[in-house]
Structure formats: C-alpha cells, structure tokens
Amino acid sequence: SPNRLFCPGPTPQPWNIKSSSLESDIYHRSKEFEAMVVSCAEMLKPLFGTSTQPIILTSSGTGAMESVVVNLTNAGDKVIVIVGATGGIGATLTRQLASTGARLVLAARNAEKLAALATELPIDVLISATDITQPQQVDTLIARTISRFGQIDVLVNAAGAGILKAYNTIEPSDLDKMLDLNLKGCFYTTQAAAKEMQKRKSGHICN
C-alpha cells in the first residue's frame, strides 16, 4: 500500500469556546497548521520524481494546497490530475502548474466552468466533467487519463464543501452531502488513482 508521510505539528490545546478571542485563536491555529504543511512540503521536495512508492500527504485548507505548489513547481512533464479544478484553490493551482510543463487533467462537476478555465491556460489540457461522489464517473476520469497520457503521476483532491448554516439548523441531508463529497469522493479518487500508481510503483496524492 502507499506510504503515508506524517509530519510533526504543534501540540493540540483545548479550545476555549467561551472566550471572546475564539476567532483569533482559530486564526493562529490555522497559521500553525499551514506552517506544519509547508514543513511537510519541504520534506517531500527531494522525494518528488524519485520515490519508488506512492506518497499520500493528507491535510486540508489553503495551506495544504499551497504546499502542493511548493512541491510541483518543477513538475516537468508529470501527469497531474486536479479534482475540483474550477474552485478557488483548484483553479489557482491549475493556473500556476500550467506554466511548469506539467500535463494537466482537470476535473469538476461543471463542464462549462471547466471549458472556460481551459481557454485561459497557455497549454492544452484534458478536461473531464466528473461528479466524484459517483464511483463510476471517477473510474471514467481515470480511464480517460490513462488513455490520453498512459499514467498518473500526481492526484490533487481540491474538491470540497462545507455547511454554511448555524449548527442548530443543520439537517442530516446537509451532513450526507458534505460527507459524500469531502470523504467518500476523496476516497473514490484516491483509490482509483492509487491503483494506477501501484502499477508503476510511483505517484503522489494530496488530499
């Protein structure tokens, strides 16, 4: 199975829910987490392109996606699949990677947004309208990638959604939708890409 890289981080402290400084506390903790992820990215640098086993870097938030840019700025002709490519983080990452020489596969649910993003880029990319909550559509995405490029070097799962409601108004259906996308969808894409990476004993996955 793929290697998993664990990175040291700050020792968790109890949340002070009653404190008026909770928002500030969250902000500083997010900065600590981003620093930890960037540290992980530095650890990954010498491994990229030379690893003999897939590496999974699991994290979340903007700091995590920034770490991917750190790792992939010298991506060469690597085949990189970006899921959630039309979202804020995914689109920004796509635009930055388009100038590295990487071969990009862009996936998102909205075909029109995918096509619009592709026209902005200085390179030809493979776009695939994909709902990652549907395993069959994920299989199609991976199959199209292999058919076009013959391999997958990197998978970036940038798709995700939260619940923008007060906690006491959240319905079970809200949780189902979030978990289907953030948890199950991420698992489906990771599983499908890892199967191809295992064949070559090489690859990188960022969740």
Side-chain angles (χ1 to χ4, degrees):
S1 61
N3 295 331
R4 183 174 296 275
L5 177 65
F6 291 96
C7 302
T11 302
Q13 299 297 323
W15 292 99
N16 187 4
I17 300 298
K18 296 181 181 180
S19 170
S20 60
S21 64
L22 177 60
E23 182 176 348
S24 175
D25 192 17
I26 293 174
Y27 172 81
H28 288 296
R29 285 167 187 257
S30 68
K31 290 301 178 183
E32 289 178 345
F33 179 76
E34 288 185 17
M36 177 191 72
V37 174
V38 170
S39 173
C40 290
E42 293 299 320
M43 294 170 63
L44 280 173
K45 273 184 176 179
L47 297 175
F48 188 77
T50 60
S51 173
T52 58
Q53 292 291 332
I55 295 175
I56 299 179
L57 171 60
T58 304
S59 47
S60 62
T62 305
M65 293 303 108
E66 288 173 349
S67 76
V68 179
V69 177
V70 171
N71 280 309
L72 303 183
T73 49
N74 295 315
D77 63 349
K78 300 296 183 181
V79 178
I80 303 176
V81 179
I82 302 177
V83 177
T86 58
I89 294 173
T92 299
L93 181 60
T94 295
R95 293 185 182 102
Q96 293 194 43
L97 289 175
S99 61
T100 66
R103 294 174 287 173
L104 301 181
V105 180
L106 310 181
R109 284 180 287 191
N110 191 308
E112 292 182 359
K113 289 184 177 180
L114 275 173
L117 176 60
T119 62
E120 299 178 22
L121 305 176
I123 60 172
D124 290 330
V125 297
L126 173 63
I127 61 174
S128 182
T130 306
D131 180 352
I132 63 170
T133 68
Q134 304 300 316
Q136 298 86 352
Q137 293 192 33
V138 172
D139 289 342
T140 298
L141 166 65
I142 299 303
R144 291 190 64 200
T145 302
I146 298 301
S147 176
R148 174 78 170 267
F149 299 113
Q151 65 192 59
I152 299 174
D153 296 296
V154 181
L155 168 69
V156 178
N157 278 311
I163 301 175
L164 303 180
K165 289 185 176 182
Y167 77 94
N168 56 350
T169 65
I170 293 175
E171 300 289 340
S173 59
D174 297 321
L175 291 173
D176 288 340
K177 289 178 181 178
M178 183 180 71
L179 292 174
D180 282 346
L181 179 61
N182 296 358
L183 179 60
K184 292 182 181 179
C186 179
F187 174 80
Y188 297 147
T189 55
T190 297
Q191 182 185 54
K195 287 179 180 179
E196 294 298 328
M197 292 175 179
Q198 286 284 16
K199 294 176 183 178
R200 300 173 57 245
K201 296 185 177 181
S202 177
H204 298 256
I205 298 174
C206 180
N207 292 326

